[in-house]
Amino acid sequence: MKNKERLLFVMLAGVVTLWGLNVVMVKYLTMFPPMYVAAIRMTIAGVFLAPILLRYRKNLRIGWANWLLAAGVGATSIALHQITLATGVQYTSAGNASLILGLNPLATALLAMVLLGEGMSWRKAWGIAIGFAGVLIVVISQHGGIHVNGWGDAIMFFSMLMYVAGGLFIRKLSLRGVPVLLITVLSQWFGVLFLWIAALMVQPASYYIGLDVTPFQWLVILTSAVLSTAVGSVGWNYGIRQLGASRTAVFLNGMPLASLLFAALFLGEQLLLVHLLALLMIVGGVYLGSRSQLKPNSAPSVVPSDITTKA
């Protein structure tokens, strides 16, 4: 069992590392229209996730209410999240973007309290406060001075909230007995549909077909879509099924660190002391805010709201 857990830990660490790298890859692809990048990436990921439908083909009769919830996941945590992610990284650094996205678990806890009536302990409240303070420090103290990058950071914050909103829909679907992998595939294809509708409203298909994409840029797009989105989401859901929700969620803390390191390595972004300070505050805040209040022998009865297809 211990060897199996070690392998799961390595797999989840790899998934989170890919998600951290994905922020940098999206930042690199900002020479293309944001909706084009988002639509292409999500379509490729959807194709690789499609075979899962064969396994759950007998579970597709889930009722119109659940189909609407799946569409809500696709609209928020995939379509709007991807559009704002691809747009936001054009106006802020990959490091800032990763730190803001790292607030996902804390924002989930806060919105779950407000919208779903979940309890809020002092430990969770301190976690939220410390995590948000860490992001506040990094967004107002860039390059050693006081500088608020309003648009970029605000768009990234909205992108993070859309991801969390989709997670709340996923919680409702999970409570209704819809398998998590089926939710992932259905919401993925709803997201693809919404993304292409939005993309074609901005530019005609001929515009996107005429874009000059180099082989290396296609490699980055394929890596982002297949590894970070498709494989990453399946691996994450598998980890939750094997280890449980609370233990798996701890691995999210490593995503901002991975993005900061990859941004410094591949994009030449400066790794400042303030980034490390903010990172420590966010990791500490997420740890406090996401720790389970259940007794040691208890097991979570529902799937948490922060599991969905990651960027």
Side-chain angles (χ1 to χ4, degrees):
M1 181 60 69
K2 289 185 177 180
N3 290 333
K4 183 178 180 179
E5 283 196 349
R6 289 194 188 101
L7 290 175
L8 287 171
F9 292 161
V10 171
M11 180 196 70
L12 289 171
V15 168
V16 172
T17 301
L18 284 172
W19 286 350
L21 176 61
N22 191 57
V23 176
V24 178
M25 289 190 285
V26 173
K27 174 72 175 178
Y28 169 75
L29 294 170
T30 53
M31 72 281 292
F32 299 112
M35 289 188 184
Y36 171 80
V37 173
I40 288 292
R41 288 175 53 244
M42 292 301 103
T43 301
I44 296 172
V47 170
F48 275 82
L49 287 171
I52 295 176
L53 287 174
L54 295 177
R55 177 181 176 183
Y56 291 102
R57 60 186 180 276
K58 296 181 180 179
N59 301 84
L60 290 177
R61 296 181 180 180
I62 56 177
W64 66 269
N66 289 333
W67 278 100
L68 286 177
L69 285 172
V73 178
T76 53
S77 65
I78 295 180
L80 286 173
H81 172 67
Q82 290 298 329
I83 291 171
T84 51
L85 172 65
T87 303
V89 293
Q90 296 186 68
Y91 302 104
T92 191
S93 67
N96 274 24
S98 66
L99 288 168
I100 294 172
L101 292 175
L103 283 172
N104 184 319
L106 302 179
T108 298
L110 186 60
L111 288 180
M113 180 192 68
V114 175
L115 300 178
L116 301 180
E118 293 187 0
M120 174 66 72
S121 65
W122 279 106
R123 176 181 293 170
K124 187 177 291 186
W126 273 110
I128 292 172
I130 293 172
F132 273 92
V135 170
L136 184 62
I137 287 175
V138 77
V139 298
I140 68 175
S141 304
Q142 298 180 33
H143 307 294
I146 303 298
H147 176 69
V148 178
N149 189 357
W151 280 114
D153 294 326
I155 293 172
M156 289 308 307
F157 189 79
F158 181 78
S159 179
M160 182 270 299
L161 287 181
M162 288 298 96
Y163 185 80
V164 171
L168 298 180
F169 290 132
I170 285 183
R171 163 164 272 181
K172 288 180 179 283
L173 282 166
S174 300
L175 289 172
R176 295 181 177 191
V178 182
V180 173
L181 286 177
L182 180 59
I183 297 171
T184 302
V185 180
L186 293 180
S187 60
Q188 180 74 24
W189 278 105
F190 272 118
V192 168
L193 174 63
F194 296 144
L195 280 169
W196 278 115
I197 290 174
L200 293 175
M201 288 177 64
V202 174
Q203 297 286 352
S206 58
Y207 171 80
Y208 299 112
I209 295 173
L211 290 175
D212 185 18
V213 184
T214 67
F216 181 75
Q217 289 165 343
W218 274 118
L219 177 63
V220 172
I221 292 172
L222 287 171
T223 301
S224 173
V226 176
L227 295 182
S228 295
T229 300
V231 175
S233 62
V234 172
W236 184 255
N237 289 334
Y238 179 76
I240 288 172
R241 186 167 68 248
Q242 296 297 319
L243 296 178
S246 59
R247 295 178 69 190
T248 306
V250 175
F251 286 85
L252 279 174
N253 299 345
M255 190 183 75
L257 176 60
S259 286
L260 287 173
L261 293 177
F262 283 126
L265 181 63
F266 295 120
L267 301 181
E269 293 187 5
Q270 190 176 3
L271 194 61
L272 303 175
L273 181 61
V274 68
H275 286 112
L276 298 179
L277 174 62
L279 177 64
L280 289 175
M281 294 179 71
I282 288 176
V283 169
V286 170
Y287 176 75
L288 288 174
S290 61
R291 286 190 66 181
S292 174
Q293 300 300 310
L294 297 174
K295 295 180 180 180
N297 294 330
S298 300
S301 60
V302 297
V303 180
S305 58
D306 58 348
I307 54 170
T308 182
T309 303
K310 196 71 179 80

